[in-house]
Amino acid sequence: MNIQLRKWTMSDKGSLTTLCNAVDRQYLSDRLPSPYTDSDAEWWLNMVKEAEGKTGLFRAVVVDNLVVGSISVERKEDVYRIDGELGYMLLTDHWSQGIMTQAVAQISRMAFNLLDLQRITAHVFLSNIASARVLEKNGYEKEATIRKGAIKNGKIHTIVQYGLVKEDAC
Ligand SMILES: CC(C)(COP(=O)(O)OP(=O)(O)OC[C@H]1O[C@@H](n2cnc3c(N)ncnc32)[C@H](O)[C@@H]1OP(=O)(O)O)[C@@H](O)C(=O)NCCC(=O)NCCS
């Protein structure tokens, strides 16, 4: 299987809209509009065009030439700017084939090199075992358990914080 992380372009409006409307949202941020429209995609792709390589890395996860997911590392602000927040999503049909494990390995390496970060942070719902496993397989360490850290669809969740520091990644 050929897994590539490629930069988004404005011509990805259709594939981004399809991805965001099809993805399983149970563990995703409510920031992702639902339904996801063409104008949502246009706004986001314009934001990415401005931020790419400066305040973040944003990549389409491409398998056999099809966009099946999205992954990003976004630099935090102010005194936290040496830290980046990792986020990702993958279409359900492609789960459990090792795709996101490889994608996280690739973007973590790129983010340390290109964004001059000292660490990368990820937050997962305690019940999101697959996501925690992806992070652990990439050397991310469990750093904190945040009780009642988030609410999704009316249910309160415990959040687990994972981190990878630069020297442990190399
Ligand atoms: C989380 C997600 C990215 C995982 O991607 P993926 O490509 O399926 O992950 P991988 O195949 O690389 O690895 C998944 C690991 O979790 C394990 N796993 C999956 N479901 C599991 C479960 N219910 N219980 C225990 N382990 C599980 C797999 O066996 C695998 O581990 P292994 O290699 O040791 O066997 C994907 O499921 C997804 O997009 N989910 C929805 C969005 C999301 O949760 N985003 C993350 C927000 S932080």
Side-chain angles (χ1 to χ4, degrees):
M1 191 174 17
N2 180 16
I3 302 164
Q4 285 177 307
L5 300 192
R6 81 153 166 75
K7 286 186 184 173
W8 293 98
T9 69
M10 291 312 287
S11 59
D12 282 313
K13 210 161 78 172
S15 49
L16 177 63
T17 305
T18 305
L19 169 69
C20 292
N21 282 317
V23 75
D24 181 338
R25 288 167 175 265
Q26 65 177 315
Y27 297 121
L28 295 182
S29 157
D30 286 344
R31 270 193 317 179
L32 192 70
S34 177
Y36 198 88
T37 63
D38 263 13
S39 62
D40 293 322
E42 196 167 325
W43 176 86
W44 191 79
L45 290 168
N46 273 316
M47 183 283 292
V48 164
K49 201 160 92 181
E50 291 301 310
E52 175 59 43
K54 298 175 197 132
T55 56
L57 297 181
F58 304 84
R59 295 291 184 273
V61 179
V62 179
V63 173
D64 299 334
N65 290 321
L66 275 180
V67 174
V68 298
S70 173
I71 188 164
S72 60
V73 174
E74 290 183 73
R75 184 201 300 287
K76 297 189 183 185
E77 293 183 346
D78 197 357
V79 291
Y80 306 110
R81 62 189 178 274
I82 53 172
D83 187 3
E85 183 81 25
L86 172 66
Y88 42 78
M89 59 180 169
L90 183 69
L91 288 175
T92 318
D93 285 354
H94 298 268
W95 287 7
S96 290
Q97 297 169 37
I99 295 172
M100 204 45 83
T101 299
Q102 273 201 47
V104 167
Q106 286 186 39
I107 204 153
S108 302
R109 215 165 27 239
M110 282 194 285
F112 281 124
N113 288 331
L114 300 174
L115 296 178
D116 197 24
L117 299 175
Q118 291 302 315
R119 58 168 282 132
I120 301 173
T121 304
H123 291 97
V124 302
F125 286 43
L126 179 65
S127 47
N128 194 354
I129 296 166
S131 189
R133 191 74 199 109
V134 163
L135 295 168
E136 283 161 5
K137 284 194 287 179
N138 275 293
Y140 281 73
E141 281 188 17
K142 187 172 170 176
E143 296 178 326
T145 299
I146 303 158
R147 293 167 66 203
K148 295 191 168 187
I151 185 161
K152 180 79 190 180
N153 298 331
K155 189 175 172 230
I156 293 176
H157 290 265
T158 297
I159 297 297
V160 184
Q161 177 178 308
Y162 281 88
L164 181 66
V165 293
K166 191 173 188 176
E167 50 272 36
D168 291 351
C170 303

